[in-house]
Amino acid sequence: TLGEQSIYTLLTIGFSGALMTLDFRSPSPVFRYGSMIAGVLATLNVLSLHMFGLNPYFTGEGTGSWPIVNLLLIGYLLPALGYAGLAFLARERRPKPFVAMLAVSGAVLGFLWATLSVRRFWQGENIADWKGFLQNETYAYSVVWLLIGVALLVLGSRFKARSLRLASAGLVMLTVLKVFLIDMSNLEGMLRALSFIRLGAVLIGIGLFYQKILASTSSGTARKSLPAEAEQP
């Protein structure tokens, strides 16, 4: 089951973090490569089982009667937080591709948790694909995806994590495609209008955010170059 597999994934993430901590205190190739192997194994579990093989959307497994403390919590949100902590621990101490893999895996799990939670809100405990989609549910996906995209952008800028910024850009682009390809044909009336208005507002906000970042970067570069220019006769 997804719950059982999630425990294995959490244990593997914890094992990777423990080896990484030991390596920081007593550097050793065994701890270093062991932590990376454990992280890769946990990621393979996510890609093959959490996303597809044991996903309750495909299997029809019940998610539980409680609204928050349910199968989606242990299956997606807790591993996502584990990956986030592991990526933060590995920053500037492990190869950038490995850190990016951890960060993106955490972002994917967080995205799945939010998306499946939206479906559970509208469809109930059973979120199987054969139940189809409601109009309000379709609209809610776009709202949640844009919120996650903005959150990833803020976190990526805060921690200077390029992988999170790329994940944010990919999610925003996915939302744009969804709005034009799905919302346009499936939503009606006010929901369709709100979908496009919200998308436009978020894109404008993201553009202003990047403009502010670029302006800050340019001013910082100019300040650094001032002493060198002052030394010239």
Side-chain angles (χ1 to χ4, degrees):
T1 63
L2 178 61
E4 180 184 2
Q5 176 55 47
S6 298
I7 294 175
Y8 296 148
T9 301
L10 288 170
L11 288 173
T12 309
I13 293 174
F15 182 61
S16 177
L19 290 179
M20 202 176 298
T21 303
L22 291 173
D23 183 51
F24 297 158
R25 295 179 178 178
S26 301
S28 167
V30 175
F31 294 151
R32 176 180 176 82
Y33 293 108
S35 65
M36 295 175 64
I37 291 173
V40 171
L41 290 176
T43 302
L44 292 177
N45 284 336
V46 168
L47 294 176
S48 60
L49 299 175
H50 291 254
M51 289 183 64
F52 300 106
L54 297 175
N55 190 327
Y57 177 76
F58 299 117
T59 64
E61 181 181 359
T63 58
S65 58
W66 292 6
I68 297 177
V69 183
N70 50 44
L71 180 64
L72 300 181
L73 175 72
I74 189 174
Y76 297 97
L77 183 58
L78 292 183
L81 295 176
Y83 268 109
L86 194 61
F88 184 79
L89 186 64
R91 286 178 68 237
E92 300 178 357
R93 297 175 176 176
R94 290 292 183 267
K96 289 184 178 180
F98 178 74
V99 178
M101 179 196 71
L102 297 177
V104 171
S105 297
V108 168
L109 284 172
F111 169 76
L112 288 173
W113 173 78
T115 301
L116 295 177
S117 294
V118 169
R119 182 164 180 81
R120 187 185 183 282
F121 178 82
W122 293 103
Q123 299 288 351
E125 297 178 24
N126 191 314
I127 59 174
D129 57 343
W130 57 265
K131 299 181 72 173
F133 297 90
L134 304 174
Q135 280 205 23
N136 289 333
E137 177 189 353
T138 302
Y139 173 78
Y141 288 134
S142 300
V143 175
V144 172
W145 291 1
L146 283 177
L147 289 175
I148 297 174
V150 172
L152 289 176
L153 177 60
V154 173
L155 290 175
S157 301
R158 171 66 178 81
F159 296 107
K160 298 180 180 179
R162 185 170 179 267
S163 57
L164 291 181
R165 294 198 298 270
L166 291 176
S168 169
L171 186 54
V172 171
M173 289 301 300
L174 177 63
T175 307
V176 170
L177 292 175
K178 176 186 175 296
V179 168
F180 282 97
L181 298 179
I182 298 178
D183 291 5
M184 183 180 292
S185 59
N186 290 279
L187 299 183
E188 299 176 356
M190 184 61 69
L191 286 180
R192 180 188 296 181
L194 287 175
S195 181
F196 281 95
I197 292 172
R198 183 200 61 252
L199 177 63
V202 171
L203 291 178
I204 291 173
I206 290 175
L208 293 175
F209 186 80
Y210 268 111
Q211 186 177 9
K212 183 178 179 180
I213 291 177
L214 291 175
S216 300
T217 304
S218 300
S219 61
T221 304
R223 285 195 297 268
K224 290 180 180 179
S225 62
L226 282 177
E229 294 176 355
E231 293 176 0
Q232 296 179 358

